[in-house]
Amino acid sequence: MRFGVTVFPGTNCEMDTFYAIREAIGEQADYVWHQDRDLSHYDAILIAGGFSYGDYLRTGAIARFAPVMDAIAEFAAKGGLVLGICNGFQILTEAGLLPGALQRNAHLKFRCSWVHLRVENADTPFTGGCRPGQVLRIPVNHGEGNYFADPDTLRELNENNQILFRYCTADGEVTPEASPNGSLENIAGIINKAGNVAGMMPHPERACEPILGSADGRYLLTSMVNYLTGRASHV
């Protein structure tokens, strides 16, 4: 499997993401520059975190117009897997590839810490290797991770099982105190209706080896590989 890892001016997590793919799970990866338009030789795209274009205007608001985003929209429309991490999640919402928006953290402070996530939907290409209700330990690093959606959108997300992760305690209890940013319903990650585009604020690429404090991020990446391998075997 070959993964593309996007790089915008201001991206700062591309090397971690590249390493997680190449070294932690042993798959092929390339950097994809923000002006690239051809994604035809990739099986999945990871939109890495950082501060694309300096986070001017709003997080992801300028990156949304980069040439690569047109290519990613086309890639996703054809069923390609796309995972946006932190700033990547913000970019996907700005581009309309995922519903809702990411606002300033409710306490107006930048948060860099470990959090716990409860897997809400384990029947997706990104969580297929997880158990429903499994608790993952993964770090966050953001100032605008407060997920917001209007009531109708929030209802649809719940009805369609589009909520991937919720912030929780180590025991899996969803509480306001467990959220690092005040997200509605403690939402930490969602997926589109088609099931092939996902976004999450925590950084799985920073939790892919035990020496880092957790290897739980590998569940997401290996789930993607297993899904792609299984799909390829049926082509």
Side-chain angles (χ1 to χ4, degrees), residues 9 14-15 22 35 41 47 53-55 62 69 84-85 104 130 134 137 140 144 163 166-167 177 191 202 205 226 231:
E14 73 276 20
M15 292 183 180
R22 291 287 295 268
Q35 293 179 334
H41 44 299
I47 307 179
Y53 299 96
D55 275 352
I62 299 177
M69 289 309 300
I85 301 169
R104 290 288 303 276
C130 302
Q134 182 174 352
R137 185 172 183 265
V140 295
E144 299 187 43
I163 299 175
R166 281 191 168 92
Y167 298 109
E177 295 75 21
I191 194 169
E205 79 282 5
N226 291 337
R231 186 173 68 176

Side-chain angles (χ1 to χ4, degrees), residues 112-126:
C112 181
S113 62
W114 289 93
V115 298
H116 291 93
L117 308 177
R118 191 175 73 186
V119 178
E120 301 293 88
N121 184 351
D123 188 22
T124 79
F126 308 93

Side-chain angles (χ1 to χ4, degrees), residues 61-104:
I62 299 177
R64 176 260 179 276
F65 293 102
V68 74
M69 289 309 300
D70 290 334
I72 288 175
E74 182 179 348
F75 181 82
K78 294 179 180 178
L81 292 190
V82 178
L83 174 62
I85 301 169
C86 196
N87 189 225
F89 186 9
Q90 296 161 344
I91 293 170
L92 287 173
T93 59
E94 288 289 336
L97 294 177
L98 286 175
L102 282 305
Q103 304 181 128
R104 290 288 303 276

Side-chain angles (χ1 to χ4, degrees), residues 193-209:
K193 287 183 179 181
N196 66 309
V197 178
M200 60 186 298
M201 287 309 299
H203 287 265
E205 79 282 5
R206 298 185 183 180
C208 283
E209 294 179 326

Side-chain angles (χ1 to χ4, degrees), residues 146-226:
N146 182 0
Y147 183 78
F148 176 83
D150 63 78
D152 289 340
T153 298
L154 194 61
R155 185 185 67 254
E156 287 186 4
L157 288 174
N158 280 286
E159 291 177 351
N160 298 330
N161 293 321
Q162 289 178 249
I163 299 175
L164 283 183
F165 307 107
R166 281 191 168 92
Y167 298 109
C168 66
T169 66
D171 295 326
E173 185 180 0
V174 175
T175 66
E177 295 75 21
S179 172
N181 49 40
S183 288
L184 284 178
E185 295 191 9
N186 281 40
I187 292 173
I190 63 173
I191 194 169
N192 66 341
K193 287 183 179 181
N196 66 309
V197 178
M200 60 186 298
M201 287 309 299
H203 287 265
E205 79 282 5
R206 298 185 183 180
C208 283
E209 294 179 326
I211 195 172
L212 299 175
S214 173
D216 287 351
R218 295 180 63 163
Y219 282 109
L220 280 77
L221 302 180
T222 55
S223 291
M224 294 175 69
V225 172
N226 291 337

